[in-house]
């Protein structure tokens, strides 16, 4: 594929990303696009880290997920390091999985059993977010050249911007939904107990703080059941608690 074709396909992918309804669909499109756009790529996945725990958000093949689990168990590997942004690098690679590897020796020797010949991990990030890693796999050694890695980096950069925007959109929708349910709960308390608006909100806020329950969860309970949750230690669940 020449660069003109690549650019056209990238433009198509960018439009398709913006048309997706949820983040999970975006991840699936990104990984599928990687196998189509990056020369030598047989499979792809997106991995994120939560402390030292690995979560596979999308994978085109089961052995991609198996590789993620392996890196989590061994606490080493190119995708593992890419997702943690260790050493400040943005691209991590294993050119030949069949040869001894100094940086990830345990992973390289075990990954051969999964059928991995070579791989590249590319950081998914924006200026404000580290979103994980886009990981590309090949069945045979030496499949990813400089052009392939450059293609992967361009793909990851487009994907990171789209994912970051989608996450902001989801957070905004969640905030709007929370605001709506809090307003509904306040209305129930105002009608049922003759409270003013600020008094109803303070009832929800105090209950949230005193019982270590998120405000939106307290509000959801009131909206659904018409009363404050019953504290674990007992109590009436009335606005005076």
């Amino acid at each position: 594929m020449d660069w003109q074709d690549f650019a056209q396909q990238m433009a198509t992918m960018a439009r398709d990303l913006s048309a997706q309804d949820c983040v999970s669909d975006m991840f699936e499109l990104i990984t599928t696009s990687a196998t189509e756009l990056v020369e030598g790529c047989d499979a792809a996945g997106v991995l994120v880290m939560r402390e030292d725990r690995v979560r596979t958000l999308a994978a085109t093949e089961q052995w991609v997920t198996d590789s993620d689990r392996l890196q989590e168990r061994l606490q080493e590997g190119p995708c593992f390091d890419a997702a943690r942004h260790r050493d400040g690098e943005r691209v991590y690679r294993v050119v030949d999985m069949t040869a001894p590897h100094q940086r990830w020796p345990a992973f390289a020797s075990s990954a051969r059993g999964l059928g991995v010949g070579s791989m590249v991990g590319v950081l998914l990030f924006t200026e404000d977010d580290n979103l994980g890693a886009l990981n590309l796999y090949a069945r045979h050694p030496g499949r990813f050249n400089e052009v392939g890695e450059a293609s992967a980096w361009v793909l990851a950069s487009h994907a990171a911007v789209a994912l970051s925007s989608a996450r902001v959109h989801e957070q905004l929708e969640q905030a709007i939904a929370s605001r709506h349910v809090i307003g509904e709960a306040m209305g129930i308390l105002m009608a049922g107990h003759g409270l003013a608006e600020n008094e109803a909100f303070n009832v929800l806020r105090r209950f949230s703080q005193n019982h270590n329950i998120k405000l939106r969860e307290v509000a959801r309970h009131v909206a659904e059941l018409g009363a404050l949750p019953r504290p674990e230690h007992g109590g009436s669940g009335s606005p005076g608690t």
Side-chain angles (χ1 to χ4, degrees), residues 17-236:
L17 280 174
S18 65
Q20 301 306 305
D21 294 327
C22 62
V23 174
S24 60
D25 290 341
M26 297 179 76
F27 282 126
E28 291 184 7
L29 177 60
I30 290 164
T31 52
T32 300
S33 297
T35 62
E36 297 170 350
L37 294 173
V38 180
E39 185 177 353
C41 181
D42 296 318
V46 173
L47 172 153
V48 295
M49 296 288 302
R50 295 294 180 265
E51 296 181 349
D52 286 336
R53 302 290 295 178
V54 168
R55 182 182 175 195
T56 305
L57 299 183
T60 60
E61 302 286 349
Q62 179 59 43
W63 49 284
V64 172
T65 303
D66 294 340
S67 172
D68 291 346
R69 299 284 80 76
L70 176 63
Q71 291 180 78
E72 178 185 62
R73 179 169 59 83
L74 298 174
Q75 294 289 290
E76 70 168 51
C79 308
F80 190 80
D81 281 359
R84 290 190 297 181
H85 201 189
R86 175 176 285 181
D87 302 325
E89 296 181 36
R90 298 178 180 179
V91 179
Y92 298 77
R93 61 186 64 78
V94 179
V95 176
D96 185 354
M97 203 71 72
T98 65
H101 201 274
Q102 292 183 347
R103 187 167 185 177
W104 305 293
F107 170 71
S109 61
S110 299
R112 290 196 291 270
L114 301 177
V116 181
S118 52
M119 61 185 297
V120 175
V122 185
L123 182 68
L124 285 172
F125 86 107
T126 63
E127 195 68 29
D128 300 318
D129 294 297
N130 179 357
L131 303 168
L134 172 65
N135 307 309
L136 313 181
Y137 292 82
R139 286 290 191 184
H140 301 286
R143 292 295 299 275
F144 298 110
N145 55 27
E146 291 184 0
V147 173
E149 288 189 11
S151 301
W153 177 243
V154 173
L155 175 62
S157 299
H158 277 71
V161 172
L163 292 170
S164 181
S165 298
R167 190 164 71 174
V168 169
H169 181 69
E170 283 191 342
Q171 290 171 344
L172 179 60
E173 288 186 333
Q174 290 172 1
I176 293 172
S178 294
R179 182 175 179 178
H180 175 78
V181 76
I182 290 170
E184 186 177 352
M186 288 170 56
I188 290 172
L189 294 178
M190 291 165 64
H193 301 279
L195 301 177
E197 183 175 337
N198 64 320
E199 292 173 329
F201 179 77
N202 285 334
V203 166
L204 295 173
R205 180 178 55 80
R206 283 198 305 270
F207 193 96
S208 171
Q209 294 173 344
N210 292 341
H211 301 287
N212 195 29
I213 304 174
K214 291 182 178 180
L215 179 61
R216 65 175 178 271
E217 297 302 325
V218 177
R220 183 175 292 110
H221 190 281
V222 174
E224 292 176 354
L225 301 179
L228 293 167
R230 285 189 173 274
E232 293 182 1
H233 54 75
S236 64

Side-chain angles (χ1 to χ4, degrees), residues 5-15 37 151 154-156 158-159:
D5 289 339
F6 177 80
Q8 291 174 345
Q9 292 195 37
M10 282 297 304
T12 300
M13 188 204 73
R15 289 193 296 270
L37 294 173
S151 301
V154 173
L155 175 62
H158 277 71

